Amino acid sequence: MRISIPSIPHEILFAPPALDKITVVDAVLRVSAFISSGKTTLLTGAGVSVDSGIRAYRGHDGRYMNPNYKPIFYHELVDESPKGAAFRQRYWLRSYLGYLPVNNALPNTTHYALAALQHASIIPNIITQNVDGLHHKALALSKFSPMQVQSAILELHGTLHRVRCKYGHLVDRAEFQDSLTSANPQWKSFLDDVQLTGNEPRTNPDGDVEQLGISYEDFVVPDCPTCLHQNQKNNIHKPEVIFFGESIPTEVKERSFKDVENGDRLLLMGTTLATYSAYRLVKHALELKKPVLMINVGPTRADGLPGVEKINIPTGAIIRDVARGVLGNSAIDDPIIREMLNSGVVMPPPADDDDRAPRAVG
């Protein structure tokens, strides 16, 4: 089976950089005017979570930070043959080691500024490609009900925080992490050691770590406890994340289109739109004659599309000021909004955290 990894067209990726520059002040004014002009639907990508310490897959030039990155495909993860079992050992060991940094990540200033705009119904719907759950953590300050949160945020590519076995039994990812620990005490010792020494493996946005150069053969993937209670053994599990080669559920696809249709305009943040599931939402908005504004550093799949306006600036540099300007007195008078606009970390990965450049040894 041949499955291609989503990418940005070569002619866009290697096009000469745009010469037009925009100041932070002008960017704040432009985005504020865009948002204030009507109900805005927002589509976010990995760039939004970088200030939370979660590395994006792509750098400012649109290319993969690690040119040797090799994801596990959906058909590999669910394969019931011995080869599939080996893929699952590899995946779940790397996920076991990489999950805690993602689970412990905190929302950054962009997450909270967007949550403030959601709380005020300026941006009623966020469609996110991210699987880290940070939009949910930020919106928790709003005291929205679970149903309101579910309506406000659509996770286009799923979430890392739930795991489902092949028969559909669902378990919380933290609970599954405990099961992995119980089944692999030797790897718990390894994890404790790397955390103690600070030599933690590099974590990808999907909670997977980079190649470790070690054997996965002794890693045990535990059986589903619900299946065991039903007198059947089954250790084929998958996080509720859409893998390469896997289709987005019909209800998620339909809702993503509906969220675009329900907005007056579409705002894009921190995304290259490399995956078609995101890119087609932009095309849908354009077909409906809706204004589209993109905030992203570096090339994207939508560059040059008629009707797409682009601002080449990091979202974290402007979005808190945008929210304060749009919300006006509410930014001071509403205690929830005030707290949101004063919350958030700014902890991006080191500037030299790029596998394309030579790295010092040791």
Side-chain angles (χ1 to χ4, degrees), residues 12-44:
I12 293 177
L13 200 58
F14 294 97
L19 298 178
D20 55 314
K21 302 288 184 181
I22 188 168
T23 66
V24 168
V25 171
D26 286 342
V28 168
L29 291 174
R30 177 65 194 104
V31 178
S32 299
F34 184 87
I35 292 175
S36 300
S37 299
K39 188 167 65 172
T40 302
T41 297
L42 172 64
L43 173 64
T44 67

CSV table of all heavy atoms in Angstrom, one decimal, residues 12-44:
chain,number,residue,atom,x,y,z
A,12,ILE,N,5.6,26.3,-4.5
A,12,ILE,CA,5.3,27.2,-3.4
A,12,ILE,C,6.4,27.1,-2.3
A,12,ILE,O,6.9,28.1,-1.9
A,12,ILE,CB,3.9,26.9,-2.7
A,12,ILE,CG1,2.8,27.2,-3.7
A,12,ILE,CG2,3.8,27.7,-1.4
A,12,ILE,CD1,1.4,26.8,-3.1
A,13,LEU,N,6.9,25.9,-2.0
A,13,LEU,CA,7.9,25.7,-1.0
A,13,LEU,C,9.2,26.4,-1.3
A,13,LEU,O,9.8,26.9,-0.4
A,13,LEU,CB,8.1,24.2,-0.8
A,13,LEU,CG,8.7,23.7,0.4
A,13,LEU,CD1,7.9,24.1,1.6
A,13,LEU,CD2,8.9,22.2,0.4
A,14,PHE,N,9.5,26.4,-2.6
A,14,PHE,CA,10.8,27.0,-3.0
A,14,PHE,C,10.7,28.3,-3.8
A,14,PHE,O,11.6,28.7,-4.4
A,14,PHE,CB,11.6,25.9,-3.8
A,14,PHE,CG,12.0,24.7,-3.0
A,14,PHE,CD1,11.2,23.6,-3.1
A,14,PHE,CD2,13.1,24.8,-2.2
A,14,PHE,CE1,11.6,22.5,-2.3
A,14,PHE,CE2,13.4,23.7,-1.4
A,14,PHE,CZ,12.7,22.5,-1.5
A,15,ALA,N,9.5,28.9,-3.7
A,15,ALA,CA,9.3,30.2,-4.3
A,15,ALA,C,10.1,31.3,-3.5
A,15,ALA,O,10.4,31.1,-2.3
A,15,ALA,CB,7.8,30.6,-4.3
A,16,PRO,N,10.5,32.3,-4.2
A,16,PRO,CA,11.2,33.4,-3.5
A,16,PRO,C,10.4,34.0,-2.4
A,16,PRO,O,9.1,34.1,-2.6
A,16,PRO,CB,11.5,34.5,-4.6
A,16,PRO,CG,11.4,33.7,-5.9
A,16,PRO,CD,10.4,32.6,-5.7
A,17,PRO,N,10.9,34.3,-1.3
A,17,PRO,CA,10.1,34.8,-0.2
A,17,PRO,C,9.5,36.2,-0.5
A,17,PRO,O,10.0,37.0,-1.3
A,17,PRO,CB,11.1,35.0,1.0
A,17,PRO,CG,12.5,35.1,0.3
A,17,PRO,CD,12.4,34.2,-0.9
A,18,ALA,N,8.3,36.3,0.0
A,18,ALA,CA,7.6,37.6,-0.3
A,18,ALA,C,8.3,38.8,0.3
A,18,ALA,O,8.9,38.7,1.4
A,18,ALA,CB,6.1,37.5,0.3
A,19,LEU,N,8.3,39.9,-0.4
A,19,LEU,CA,9.1,41.0,0.1
A,19,LEU,C,8.3,41.9,1.0
A,19,LEU,O,8.9,42.8,1.6
A,19,LEU,CB,9.6,41.8,-1.2
A,19,LEU,CG,10.5,41.0,-2.1
A,19,LEU,CD1,10.9,41.9,-3.3
A,19,LEU,CD2,11.8,40.6,-1.4
A,20,ASP,N,7.0,41.8,0.9
A,20,ASP,CA,6.2,42.7,1.7
A,20,ASP,C,6.3,42.4,3.2
A,20,ASP,O,6.2,41.2,3.6
A,20,ASP,CB,4.7,42.6,1.3
A,20,ASP,CG,4.2,41.2,1.3
A,20,ASP,OD1,4.9,40.3,0.9
A,20,ASP,OD2,3.0,41.0,1.9
A,21,LYS,N,6.5,43.4,4.0
A,21,LYS,CA,6.7,43.3,5.5
A,21,LYS,C,5.5,44.0,6.1
A,21,LYS,O,4.9,44.9,5.6
A,21,LYS,CB,8.0,43.8,5.9
A,21,LYS,CG,9.2,43.2,5.3
A,21,LYS,CD,9.5,41.8,5.8
A,21,LYS,CE,10.7,41.2,5.2
A,21,LYS,NZ,11.0,39.8,5.7
A,22,ILE,N,5.2,43.6,7.3
A,22,ILE,CA,4.1,44.2,8.1
A,22,ILE,C,4.6,44.4,9.5
A,22,ILE,O,5.3,43.5,10.1
A,22,ILE,CB,2.8,43.5,8.0
A,22,ILE,CG1,1.7,44.3,8.7
A,22,ILE,CG2,3.0,42.1,8.7
A,22,ILE,CD1,0.3,43.7,8.4
A,23,THR,N,4.4,45.6,10.1
A,23,THR,CA,4.7,45.8,11.5
A,23,THR,C,3.7,45.1,12.4
A,23,THR,O,2.6,44.8,12.0
A,23,THR,CB,4.8,47.3,11.8
A,23,THR,OG1,3.4,47.8,11.7
A,23,THR,CG2,5.7,48.0,10.8
A,24,VAL,N,4.2,44.9,13.6
A,24,VAL,CA,3.3,44.3,14.6
A,24,VAL,C,2.0,45.2,14.8
A,24,VAL,O,0.9,44.7,14.9
A,24,VAL,CB,4.0,44.2,16.0
A,24,VAL,CG1,3.0,43.8,17.1
A,24,VAL,CG2,5.1,43.1,15.9
A,25,VAL,N,2.2,46.5,14.9
A,25,VAL,CA,1.1,47.4,15.0
A,25,VAL,C,0.1,47.3,13.9
A,25,VAL,O,-1.2,47.2,14.1
A,25,VAL,CB,1.5,48.9,15.2
A,25,VAL,CG1,0.3,49.8,15.1
A,25,VAL,CG2,2.3,49.0,16.4
A,26,ASP,N,0.6,47.3,12.6
A,26,ASP,CA,-0.3,47.1,11.5
A,26,ASP,C,-1.0,45.8,11.4
A,26,ASP,O,-2.2,45.7,11.0
A,26,ASP,CB,0.5,47.4,10.2
A,26,ASP,CG,0.8,48.8,10.0
A,26,ASP,OD1,0.2,49.7,10.6
A,26,ASP,OD2,1.8,49.1,9.2
A,27,ALA,N,-0.3,44.7,11.8
A,27,ALA,CA,-0.8,43.4,11.9
A,27,ALA,C,-2.0,43.3,12.9
A,27,ALA,O,-3.0,42.7,12.6
A,27,ALA,CB,0.2,42.3,12.2
A,28,VAL,N,-1.8,43.9,14.0
A,28,VAL,CA,-2.8,43.9,15.1
A,28,VAL,C,-4.1,44.7,14.5
A,28,VAL,O,-5.2,44.2,14.7
A,28,VAL,CB,-2.3,44.6,16.4
A,28,VAL,CG1,-3.5,44.9,17.3
A,28,VAL,CG2,-1.3,43.7,17.1
A,29,LEU,N,-3.9,45.8,13.9
A,29,LEU,CA,-5.0,46.6,13.4
A,29,LEU,C,-5.7,45.8,12.3
A,29,LEU,O,-7.0,45.8,12.3
A,29,LEU,CB,-4.5,47.9,12.8
A,29,LEU,CG,-4.0,48.9,13.9
A,29,LEU,CD1,-3.4,50.1,13.2
A,29,LEU,CD2,-5.1,49.3,14.8
A,30,ARG,N,-5.0,45.1,11.4
A,30,ARG,CA,-5.6,44.4,10.3
A,30,ARG,C,-6.4,43.2,10.8
A,30,ARG,O,-7.6,43.0,10.4
A,30,ARG,CB,-4.6,43.9,9.3
A,30,ARG,CG,-5.1,43.1,8.2
A,30,ARG,CD,-6.1,43.9,7.3
A,30,ARG,NE,-6.9,43.1,6.4
A,30,ARG,CZ,-8.2,42.9,6.6
A,30,ARG,NH1,-8.8,43.3,7.6
A,30,ARG,NH2,-8.8,42.1,5.7
A,31,VAL,N,-5.9,42.4,11.7
A,31,VAL,CA,-6.6,41.3,12.3
A,31,VAL,C,-7.8,41.7,13.1
A,31,VAL,O,-8.8,41.1,13.0
A,31,VAL,CB,-5.6,40.3,13.1
A,31,VAL,CG1,-6.3,39.2,13.7
A,31,VAL,CG2,-4.5,39.9,12.2
A,32,SER,N,-7.6,42.7,13.9
A,32,SER,CA,-8.7,43.3,14.7
A,32,SER,C,-9.9,43.7,13.8
A,32,SER,O,-11.0,43.4,14.1
A,32,SER,CB,-8.2,44.5,15.5
A,32,SER,OG,-7.2,44.1,16.4
A,33,ALA,N,-9.6,44.4,12.7
A,33,ALA,CA,-10.6,44.8,11.8
A,33,ALA,C,-11.3,43.6,11.1
A,33,ALA,O,-12.5,43.6,11.0
A,33,ALA,CB,-10.0,45.7,10.7
A,34,PHE,N,-10.5,42.6,10.8
A,34,PHE,CA,-11.1,41.4,10.2
A,34,PHE,C,-12.1,40.7,11.1
A,34,PHE,O,-13.2,40.3,10.8
A,34,PHE,CB,-10.0,40.4,9.8
A,34,PHE,CG,-10.4,39.2,9.1
A,34,PHE,CD1,-10.6,39.2,7.7
A,34,PHE,CD2,-10.6,38.0,9.7
A,34,PHE,CE1,-11.0,38.1,7.0
A,34,PHE,CE2,-11.0,36.8,9.1
A,34,PHE,CZ,-11.2,36.9,7.7
A,35,ILE,N,-11.6,40.5,12.4
A,35,ILE,CA,-12.5,39.8,13.4
A,35,ILE,C,-13.7,40.6,13.7
A,35,ILE,O,-14.8,40.0,13.9
A,35,ILE,CB,-11.6,39.5,14.6
A,35,ILE,CG1,-10.5,38.4,14.3
A,35,ILE,CG2,-12.5,38.9,15.7
A,35,ILE,CD1,-9.6,38.1,15.5
A,36,SER,N,-13.6,41.9,13.8
A,36,SER,CA,-14.7,42.8,14.2
A,36,SER,C,-15.8,42.9,13.1
A,36,SER,O,-16.9,43.4,13.4
A,36,SER,CB,-14.1,44.1,14.6
A,36,SER,OG,-13.2,44.1,15.6
A,37,SER,N,-15.5,42.4,11.9
A,37,SER,CA,-16.4,42.7,10.8
A,37,SER,C,-17.5,41.6,10.7
A,37,SER,O,-18.3,41.7,9.8
A,37,SER,CB,-15.6,42.7,9.5
A,37,SER,OG,-14.7,43.8,9.5
A,38,GLY,N,-17.4,40.6,11.5
A,38,GLY,CA,-18.5,39.6,11.5
A,38,GLY,C,-18.1,38.3,12.2
A,38,GLY,O,-16.9,38.2,12.7
A,39,LYS,N,-19.0,37.4,12.4
A,39,LYS,CA,-18.8,36.2,13.1
A,39,LYS,C,-17.7,35.4,12.4
A,39,LYS,O,-17.7,35.1,11.2
A,39,LYS,CB,-20.1,35.3,13.2
A,39,LYS,CG,-19.9,34.1,14.1
A,39,LYS,CD,-21.3,33.5,14.3
A,39,LYS,CE,-22.0,33.0,13.1
A,39,LYS,NZ,-23.2,32.2,13.4
A,40,THR,N,-16.6,35.1,13.2
A,40,THR,CA,-15.4,34.5,12.6
A,40,THR,C,-15.3,33.0,13.0
A,40,THR,O,-15.3,32.7,14.2
A,40,THR,CB,-14.1,35.2,13.1
A,40,THR,OG1,-14.3,36.6,12.7
A,40,THR,CG2,-12.9,34.6,12.4
A,41,THR,N,-15.0,32.1,12.0
A,41,THR,CA,-14.6,30.8,12.3
A,41,THR,C,-13.1,30.7,12.2
A,41,THR,O,-12.5,31.3,11.3
A,41,THR,CB,-15.3,29.8,11.3
A,41,THR,OG1,-16.7,29.8,11.5
A,41,THR,CG2,-14.8,28.4,11.5
A,42,LEU,N,-12.5,30.0,13.1
A,42,LEU,CA,-11.0,29.9,13.2
A,42,LEU,C,-10.5,28.5,12.9
A,42,LEU,O,-11.0,27.6,13.5
A,42,LEU,CB,-10.6,30.4,14.5
A,42,LEU,CG,-9.1,30.3,14.9
A,42,LEU,CD1,-8.2,31.1,13.9
A,42,LEU,CD2,-8.8,30.7,16.3
A,43,LEU,N,-9.5,28.4,12.1
A,43,LEU,CA,-8.8,27.1,11.9
A,43,LEU,C,-7.4,27.3,12.4
A,43,LEU,O,-6.6,28.1,11.9
A,43,LEU,CB,-8.8,26.8,10.4
A,43,LEU,CG,-8.0,25.5,10.0
A,43,LEU,CD1,-8.6,24.3,10.6
A,43,LEU,CD2,-8.0,25.4,8.4
A,44,THR,N,-7.0,26.4,13.3
A,44,THR,CA,-5.6,26.5,13.9
A,44,THR,C,-4.8,25.3,13.6
A,44,THR,O,-5.3,24.2,13.3
A,44,THR,CB,-5.6,26.7,15.4
A,44,THR,OG1,-6.1,25.5,16.0
A,44,THR,CG2,-6.5,27.9,15.8
